Amino acid sequence: MEVFDRLGSTNDEVRAHPAPWRVVVAEHQEAGRGRLGRSWTTTPGTGLAVSALVPVPASGASWVPLLAGLAVRRAVDEVSG
């Protein structure tokens, strides 16, 4: 995992140097993009922007968002109680 204080976009950083299972985290994201091209930013000290390059499983990509969400939920629960 790579942690940055500030990035333009965590997705752009992952795309710049792609590697399977690479995780990029930024406390402050200034130029992220969400669905339908909407801007996505974070306010310093209030959240984290996270991008991960997950290889597509043989069963297809449709399960990746659900499984990623479950993994994040479990990780947050584990470290926060």
Side-chain angles (χ1 to χ4, degrees), residues 4-77:
F4 296 86
D5 291 331
R6 171 178 289 199
L7 276 178
S9 166
T10 56
N11 273 343
D12 287 348
E13 178 63 28
V14 167
R15 285 186 192 113
H17 307 284
W21 302 108
R22 183 176 180 210
V23 177
V24 173
V25 178
E27 182 178 336
H28 180 51
Q29 179 174 249
E30 301 170 315
R33 291 170 310 283
R35 293 180 61 217
L36 305 175
R38 295 181 179 125
S39 65
W40 183 266
T41 61
T42 59
T43 303
T46 63
L48 294 174
V50 179
S51 293
L53 185 58
V54 178
V56 177
S59 60
S62 63
W63 284 97
V64 172
L66 179 63
L67 295 175
L70 180 59
V72 169
R73 185 225 172 259
R74 286 182 177 173
V76 168
D77 189 47

